Every structure is written in structure tokens, then in C-alpha cells.
């Protein structure tokens, strides 16, 4: 495989996810930190509230990958997980000094950036695999 073919393959892979849907689903997932920032997670009860929110967000992601006519649900949901992880990292870097008076989160502890992205990519991959499985059960490709 020559350099041109490798670049073409990488470009094709990057086009596979539905980027607009991935960004929208990442936005949906930002409900979790919003509940935490506003104190709703504390008032509604921890750890149940974050777990319930994660389950609901996962169901929304799986439904979007199953019901929408997404070309490639797996890469789209992995991209959603990465976009959510990146948004969370940036938001924590901006909001933690404002809310806590000092920087906290992955930007203050750079060794945490890769694990945060990996965990969220894995979350997207699990949701994407579930969506693919449901699509196959429905006879949809």
C-alpha cells in the first residue's frame, strides 16, 4: 500500500462516522455534568442519579444508532464518546476554577486525559455494538 492509498483509507475512515449525529449525541451526554454542576445529582441522590443518567444516555445513543439511518453506528458512537470526553475535559478546565476556585480535572492532571478519552470511546463502542446488534435483529444493515 503506497502513501496515497494509506491517506485515502484514513480519509475514508474519518468520513464513516456521522459527525453531526456524534456531536449531537455528545451534547445529550453533557446532561451528566450539568446535573453535577447544578447540584441535582446530590439532591436526587448519589450514586443512583449518575448511574440512571448514564443508562438513559446510553439508551438514547443506542436508539439513535438503531433507528436513525446511520451509515456506520459503531464509529459514529465511538466518535460521540470521544467528543463527549473532549467536551468534558474542556468544560472541567473552564468551570472548575470558577466553581471551586482552583483548577481540577484532566487538564490539571494531564495523565488523566488519555484514560478519560479511552473510557468514553469504550462507552461509545459498547453502545455502537448494541445498536449494530439491534439493527441485525431487525434485519437492517
Amino acid at each position: 500500500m503506497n502513501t496515497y492509498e494509506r491517506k485515502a483509507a484514513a480519509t475514508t475512515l474519518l468520513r464513516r462516522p456521522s459527525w453531526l449525529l456524534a456531536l449531537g449525541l455528545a451534547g445529550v451526554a453533557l446532561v451528566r455534568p450539568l446535573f453535577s454542576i447544578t447540584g441535582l445529582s446530590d439532591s436526587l441522590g448519589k450514586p443512583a442519579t449518575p448511574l440512571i443518567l448514564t443508562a438513559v444516555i446510553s439508551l438514547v445513543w443506542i436508539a439513535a444508532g438503531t433507528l436513525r439511518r446511520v451509515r456506520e453506528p459503531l464509529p459514529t458512537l465511538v466518535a460521540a464518546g470521544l467528543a463527549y470526553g473532549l467536551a468534558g475535559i474542556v468544560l472541567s478546565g473552564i468551570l472548575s476554577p470558577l466553581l471551586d476556585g482552583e483548577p481540577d480535572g484532566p487538564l490539571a492532571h494531564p495523565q488523566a486525559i488519555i484514560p478519560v478519552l479511552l473510557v468514553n470511546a469504550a462507552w461509545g463502542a459498547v453502545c455502537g455494538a448494541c445498536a449494530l446488534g439491534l439493527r441485525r435483529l431487525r434485519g437492517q444493515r
Side-chain angles (χ1 to χ4, degrees):
M1 181 182 279
N2 64 32
T3 305
Y4 176 77
E5 289 170 336
R6 272 183 262 160
K7 286 181 183 178
T11 303
T12 302
L13 182 62
L14 291 174
R15 277 193 232 148
R16 285 183 132 171
S18 174
W19 291 105
L20 190 57
L21 179 60
L23 292 174
L25 292 173
V28 168
L30 290 174
V31 166
R32 282 191 70 219
L34 182 64
F35 265 62
S36 182
I37 291 167
T38 60
L40 283 171
S41 287
D42 292 329
S43 63
L44 295 174
K46 277 188 173 178
T49 301
L51 292 174
I52 291 168
L53 287 172
T54 300
V56 169
I57 292 164
S58 297
L59 289 174
V60 169
W61 284 19
I62 293 166
T66 304
L67 302 175
R68 299 235 356 175
R69 295 192 186 272
V70 180
R71 280 189 320 258
E72 299 285 345
L74 184 62
T76 298
L77 294 174
V78 169
L82 288 170
Y84 168 68
L86 188 59
I89 289 168
V90 170
L91 283 174
S92 72
I94 294 169
L95 294 177
S96 65
L98 297 174
L99 298 174
D100 301 333
E102 60 186 59
D104 197 12
L107 290 179
H109 309 282
Q111 70 276 13
I113 292 173
I114 299 298
V116 165
L117 294 175
L118 288 174
V119 165
N120 286 295
W123 178 26
V126 168
C127 291
C130 291
L132 279 174
L134 288 172
R135 284 171 68 145
R136 288 196 178 120
L137 283 176
R138 296 177 65 213
Q140 183 183 11
R141 294 242 169 210

